[in-house]
Amino acid sequence: MSKKKLIHLIAAARPNFMKIGPLYHALKKEKLVDPIIVHTGQHYDLNMSDVFFKDLNLPTPQIHLGIGSGTHAEQTGNVMIAYEKILKINRPDLVVVVGDVNSTMATTLAAKKLDVMVAHLEAGLRSFDRTMPEEINRLVTDSLADLLWTHSYDADQNLIREGIPHSKIRMVGNIMIDSLEMLRSKIENETFSSRFKTKNKKYGIVTLHRPSNVDNIDNLHKICDVLLNLSKMISLVFPIHPRTLKRLKSNGFLSSLKNSQSLHLVEPLSYIRFMNLVYNSSLILTDSGGLQEETTYLGIPCLTMRPNTERPITVQQGTNRLCDVENVITYAEKYLKRIMNHSVPPLWDGHTSCRVLQSIKEFLCI
Ligand code: UD1
């Protein structure tokens, strides 16, 4: 009997877990592969990591690198050093990395330096903004990966333009829709959103954590003013990311937000609670990557407070609109009034993990 192929699934930060989840379950059903979850520890708080493993029914990671926070170089270097040790002891047949966080790039670098095969899920996304740390992570990861799984035609085109051979690229669709569909009944049965929904009264959700929005005091000040104004139009639920909470506290902005009756500040939420909130919301104001896609799938207006997006399909086909702090209110007024025309991009259908599994089987000849 042939030996099982060892596959490392790299999980590191909150947006990675819902991408690893459906893939782990699909691989676990396959007799000839042995999926091992490697958690780098980039996110470590209970509500930024553990709750996602519980919601997604994932086991405790078999390997935990325990890296934690640091500067970009510290975090990247520490992940590389720790993961190289693991690779030398227990060499996998394939390393699967997802998304664009520092650990995605660091584990790719460590693996490729040892000539271990790497596959990148969510490859080819480009904001063309190299001031974003994630754009650097995407460029490095995609240039080194052996197999690139994309979720849209524009991602394929970006890779081809960069000289990546067609033979390495597979369009597999959007894995996050798999998580949504996998947990749909639990999300629908969750009651968290009822705390914020009053009779006929809608609410919006705010999530902000990008350094470009929250690390600059002037921007953050303007954003806080906009949130207070927007909350007069529609009540808002704001699950605060640890980076954002730190900045709001250190700049003395937290108390004015707390004083608003219609702005509900909550801790970071679990996947099921958060998606339940999203399902029942009327508007999202965000700088997240994943939410731009989830709202496009669900048909909910999404205002992305960024000058660019690596996910243009969510603007062209979906319900996402880029905005800056100055035009949030105008956009919110417009999109709260009218239904947005939108369509769901091809292969955002809840079956991406099956296509990834098929691609892995072909790649590893099993
Ligand atoms: C990281 C990713 C970003 C992703 C985001 C999702 C990079 C460069 N950035 O940004 O692409 O959108 O995750 O959340 O990889 N902290 C905690 N507890 C935690 C994790 C972080 O308190 O569990 C605090 C620490 O003070 C840390 C700060 O948040 O210094 C930032 O964390 P970090 O992982 O460096 O970046 P994120 O802003 O979370």
Side-chain angles (χ1 to χ4, degrees):
M1 213 175 87
S2 57
K3 207 171 139 263
K4 278 190 174 194
K5 301 284 188 189
L6 183 60
I7 300 182
H8 281 180
L9 301 178
I10 308 294
R14 187 169 63 175
N16 297 157
F17 307 135
M18 47 291 239
K19 294 167 194 161
I20 288 295
L23 188 52
Y24 175 83
H25 293 300
L27 291 175
K28 205 60 193 162
K29 287 189 198 131
E30 182 62 43
K31 285 195 182 68
L32 290 173
V33 299
D34 186 12
I36 300 283
I37 298 179
V38 179
H39 196 320
T40 67
Q42 178 169 343
H43 283 175
Y44 41 85
D45 287 349
L46 212 65
N47 57 15
M48 294 295 283
S49 177
D50 299 31
V51 289
F52 289 83
F53 277 73
K54 186 168 170 280
D55 277 4
L56 293 155
N57 200 18
L58 290 171
T60 305
Q62 290 94 324
I63 299 172
H64 203 298
L65 306 180
I67 296 308
S69 301
T71 66
H72 286 278
E74 282 165 353
Q75 206 169 49
T76 306
N78 289 339
V79 171
M80 283 185 74
I81 294 165
Y83 190 46
E84 183 185 56
K85 291 188 182 127
I86 301 292
L87 289 167
K88 282 185 170 167
I89 303 166
N90 203 352
R91 188 183 172 92
D93 295 287
L94 183 67
V95 177
V96 174
V97 297
V98 299
D100 54 17
V101 301
N102 285 343
S103 302
T104 308
M105 175 183 71
T107 49
T108 300
L109 275 166
K112 288 317 300 170
K113 292 269 182 182
L114 293 175
D115 197 26
V116 175
M117 294 294 172
V118 173
H120 183 204
L121 182 55
E122 212 181 72
L125 300 189
R126 296 290 179 268
S127 65
F128 303 100
D129 174 1
R130 291 193 182 193
T131 64
M132 276 185 89
E134 292 81 2
E135 184 76 352
I136 306 295
N137 296 339
R138 293 178 202 119
L139 285 162
V140 174
T141 304
D142 286 344
S143 70
L144 294 175
D146 302 281
L147 188 53
L148 297 104
W149 293 313
T150 60
H151 78 21
S152 52
Y153 290 114
D154 59 87
D156 288 14
Q157 292 311 312
N158 291 335
L159 294 173
I160 287 160
R161 210 180 312 110
E162 287 168 19
I164 310 266
H166 279 271
S167 56
K168 286 187 173 184
I169 305 167
R170 297 275 180 290
M171 176 148 153
V172 292
N174 193 333
I175 193 88
M176 292 216 304
I177 310 306
D178 287 32
S179 304
L180 256 180
E181 289 304 333
M182 187 174 88
L183 293 172
R184 183 183 273 275
S185 62
K186 284 191 176 163
I187 291 167
E188 286 173 351
N189 290 331
E190 166 65 52
T191 56
F192 187 72
S193 61
S194 58
R195 298 183 193 188
F196 307 102
K197 232 176 16 181
T198 47
K199 230 198 275 171
N200 301 328
K201 265 283 218 177
K202 298 168 174 183
Y203 67 84
I205 302 173
V206 179
T207 80
L208 295 166
H209 74 284
R210 297 271 164 218
S212 54
N213 279 328
V214 306
D215 287 2
N216 176 305
I217 179 164
D218 292 333
N219 280 353
L220 191 59
H221 194 185
K222 283 188 200 159
I223 289 172
C224 290
D225 283 347
V226 162
L227 294 184
L228 291 171
N229 282 334
L230 186 61
S231 71
K232 290 177 193 151
M233 189 191 299
I234 179 170
S235 84
L236 297 173
V237 188
F238 185 3
I240 307 188
H241 186 285
R243 173 191 283 277
T244 312
L245 184 62
K246 257 190 183 174
R247 299 289 181 258
L248 289 172
K249 273 186 184 160
S250 64
N251 292 303
F253 298 147
L254 194 61
S255 50
S256 66
L257 296 185
K258 272 188 177 165
N259 286 341
S260 161
Q261 293 289 310
S262 46
L263 181 50
H264 307 278
L265 305 180
V266 297
E267 293 203 338
L269 300 170
S270 72
Y271 180 73
I272 290 173
R273 277 192 161 186
F274 185 67
M275 288 320 301
N276 171 260
L277 205 56
V278 172
Y279 263 49
N280 293 291
S281 67
S282 302
L283 183 78
I284 310 270
L285 178 63
T286 190
D287 58 14
S288 142
L291 257 179
Q292 298 174 49
E293 297 178 352
E294 287 156 340
T295 47
T296 274
Y297 183 67
L298 296 170
I300 297 165
C302 177
L303 303 182
T304 298
M305 218 189 308
R306 283 180 42 191
N308 50 52
T309 177
E310 60 289 331
R311 295 161 159 92
I313 198 162
T314 60
V315 178
Q316 291 148 6
Q317 262 186 256
T319 50
N320 187 26
R321 295 294 177 269
L322 300 182
C323 69
D324 56 34
V325 70
E326 270 79 32
N327 54 24
V328 167
I329 299 289
T330 316
Y331 273 41
E333 275 171 347
K334 180 171 167 186
Y335 292 117
L336 278 170
K337 273 191 208 130
R338 70 164 207 225
I339 293 172
M340 291 171 94
N341 285 332
H342 79 287
S343 62
V344 176
L347 304 187
W348 293 27
D349 58 2
H351 300 294
T352 291
S353 51
C354 301
R355 291 185 283 269
V356 171
L357 176 61
Q358 189 53 39
S359 168
I360 289 178
K361 284 164 116 179
E362 284 163 19
F363 186 74
L364 296 176
C365 303
I366 47 180

